[in-house]
Amino acid sequence: MVFKRLLGSLGVGGPTVDTVLDPAPVHPGGTLTGQVHLQGGNADFEIEHITLELVARVEAEHEEGESEGVVVFDRFTVGGGFRLGEGEQRSVPFRVALPWETPITELYGQGLGIVLGVRTELSVASAKDKGDLDQLNVTPLPAQEAILEALGQLGFGFKSADLEYGHIRGTGQQLPFYQEIELTPAPQYARQVNEIELTFLANPGGLEVILEADKRGGFFSEGHDTVTRFTVGHHDVRDWNAEVEGWMRQLVEHRASYGSHAAYGHEGHGGHHGYGDHHEGHRSGPGMGTVVAAGAAGLAVGVVGGMVAAEVVDEVGDFFEGDDEGDEEEE
C-alpha cells in the first residue's frame, strides 16, 4: 500500500498517512492491531490526534424505497500530541477492541459481500482530513462458525448477506444496524419456507441468534414470516446439528398467532415495522448470487460464474477507492 497524499484541508505538501492492519484474523469483540505510518510534509506539523473510524456500507429502507450509505460505528483516538518534522517518518502502533456486534465479512476464507473499513483521520493545526481507508475483514466467533457449519451440514445454503439500518426490537442490539445472512432452505423445509434469515447479535456474555422464516402461502392461506430467538454461550459444547435442527423445526412450526410480530421488529427511519414488513422488493447484499454448499464444508460460499464474483470485487473496490468523495453523505 502506498502513502496517500492529503490534498484536502491540510493542503498540498502536508503530511501523508498510511494505516496498515496486521494480517492476523480478527473476530467480533476481538482486538484489531496495526500501525499508522506518517510521512512528514514540506514543513513541521503539529499532529493533534490520529483517529481510526470503523465504517460499514449499510442499506436503509424508507418510504421512497431503499438506499445505501456509509455508517461510522466506532471511533478510536490512537495517537497525537506531537510534532512531525519536515520529511520525518514515524509509525504509531495501535490496539483497539472491535464492537461485539461487528458483522462477519468472511466464512472459511471466502467473502460474504459485506463491506467494512478502517478510515484514518488526521488532525493537524485544527484541520482534519480523512487520509486513508483500509478494508476490514472479520471472521466468525466459534459459536457463530459452529452454527453456520451445522446449517450447512443440515442442507441449508448461503444465498446472500447484507447490513440493514435499524434495530431489532426485543433484543440487546447496540449498533445502529444489524447483519442479515439469507439462507436457502434445506430440502426437508423447501415446501414450507422460501428462505431463512439469520442474525447474530454477540455480546460479552454470549450470542443472540435470531431466525426468521419467510413462509410459503398455499391456495387458502397467505405467506407470512415468523421469528424465533435463541441464546448460546461463546464456548458452549453442544451437538450443534441437533441443536440447530431443533431450532429450525420450532421456527417452521411456529404460528404468527404466537405474537412474533409484536415481540420483534425493525426500528428504522419512518417508525416501527414488523419483521415481515421489509421483505417485499428487498434487494439483498451486493450481488453474491446463488449458492452453495452443504456437507462437511458447511456453508462454504460459492458463486455462479466469474461474473458474479467480479461484481463483488468491483463493488468492494469502488467503496474503498471512491469513499473520500462520499464523506459528506454519511452525515
Side-chain angles (χ1 to χ4, degrees):
M1 185 181 300
V2 298
F3 287 112
K4 295 187 177 181
R5 188 174 301 278
L6 302 181
L7 300 177
S9 55
L10 303 185
V12 177
T16 58
V17 61
D18 178 38
T19 298
V20 178
L21 306 179
D22 288 343
V26 61
H27 309 283
T31 301
L32 177 68
T33 60
Q35 297 198 39
V36 179
H37 299 303
L38 300 174
Q39 172 72 53
N42 57 10
D44 292 354
F45 286 88
E46 293 293 335
I47 307 299
E48 295 179 349
H49 71 248
I50 304 168
T51 299
L52 303 181
E53 294 180 335
L54 303 183
V55 299
R57 187 176 64 189
V58 177
E59 295 183 1
E61 295 187 359
H62 41 78
E63 292 181 358
E64 292 75 25
E66 290 186 349
S67 60
E68 288 187 345
V70 178
V71 173
V72 177
F73 63 97
D74 214 339
R75 288 172 58 91
F76 310 93
T77 297
V78 297
F82 60 86
R83 176 180 291 270
L84 185 68
E86 179 181 356
E88 178 186 354
Q89 295 183 358
R90 182 181 294 210
S91 295
V92 178
F94 62 84
R95 293 175 58 88
V96 299
L98 293 184
W100 281 97
E101 292 178 14
T102 301
I104 59 175
T105 65
E106 60 181 55
L107 181 61
Y108 307 115
Q110 300 186 63
L112 302 179
I114 298 296
V115 181
L116 302 181
V118 178
R119 185 164 57 191
T120 306
E121 179 184 274
L122 200 63
S123 179
V124 180
S126 299
K128 296 180 180 180
D129 213 327
K130 303 181 191 304
D132 195 21
L133 181 65
D134 298 88
Q135 185 169 346
L136 174 61
N137 296 317
V138 181
T139 57
L141 291 161
Q144 292 173 327
E145 185 168 316
I147 292 167
L148 292 169
E149 175 77 16
L151 285 164
Q153 292 188 10
L154 292 169
F156 293 85
F158 175 86
K159 183 178 180 182
S160 64
D162 60 12
L163 304 181
E164 294 281 348
Y165 188 78
H167 286 80
I168 303 175
R169 291 195 297 269
T171 69
Q173 182 185 340
Q174 299 295 311
L175 294 186
F177 57 83
Y178 54 92
Q179 182 174 21
E180 281 188 346
I181 300 173
E182 297 187 4
L183 309 172
T184 57
Q188 62 268 34
Y189 301 116
R191 299 184 66 178
Q192 301 163 283
V193 176
N194 283 319
E195 67 180 19
I196 301 291
E197 291 183 350
L198 166 67
T199 294
F200 293 122
L201 294 177
N203 59 67
L207 192 66
E208 288 183 87
V209 183
I210 301 162
L211 293 167
E212 178 181 6
D214 177 13
K215 302 184 74 174
R216 295 186 183 277
F219 288 110
F220 303 105
S221 64
E222 295 183 358
H224 59 281
D225 297 345
T226 56
V227 179
T228 58
R229 184 180 67 174
F230 307 91
T231 302
V232 301
H234 287 302
H235 304 290
D236 284 2
V237 177
R238 308 187 184 192
D239 181 343
W240 286 109
N241 283 22
E243 184 85 10
V244 173
E245 178 71 22
W247 294 350
M248 288 299 168
R249 284 198 304 268
Q250 181 174 334
L251 178 65
V252 298
E253 294 169 0
H254 198 89
R255 293 291 181 263
S257 60
Y258 281 34
S260 61
H261 287 76
Y264 303 102
H266 304 299
E267 301 175 8
H269 292 304
H272 306 278
H273 52 91
Y275 230 105
D277 297 337
H278 70 293
H279 287 285
E280 192 67 30
H282 185 258
R283 186 175 64 82
S284 300
M288 280 298 286
T290 325
V291 219
V292 191
L299 292 180
V301 181
V303 294
V304 179
M307 185 170 63
V308 176
E311 277 184 22
V312 178
V313 173
D314 289 345
E315 292 200 23
V316 172
D318 290 346
F319 177 78
F320 289 103
E321 292 173 8
D323 180 76
D324 290 342
E325 299 176 0
D327 289 338
E328 296 180 0
E329 295 181 5
E330 77 186 49
E331 305 297 335

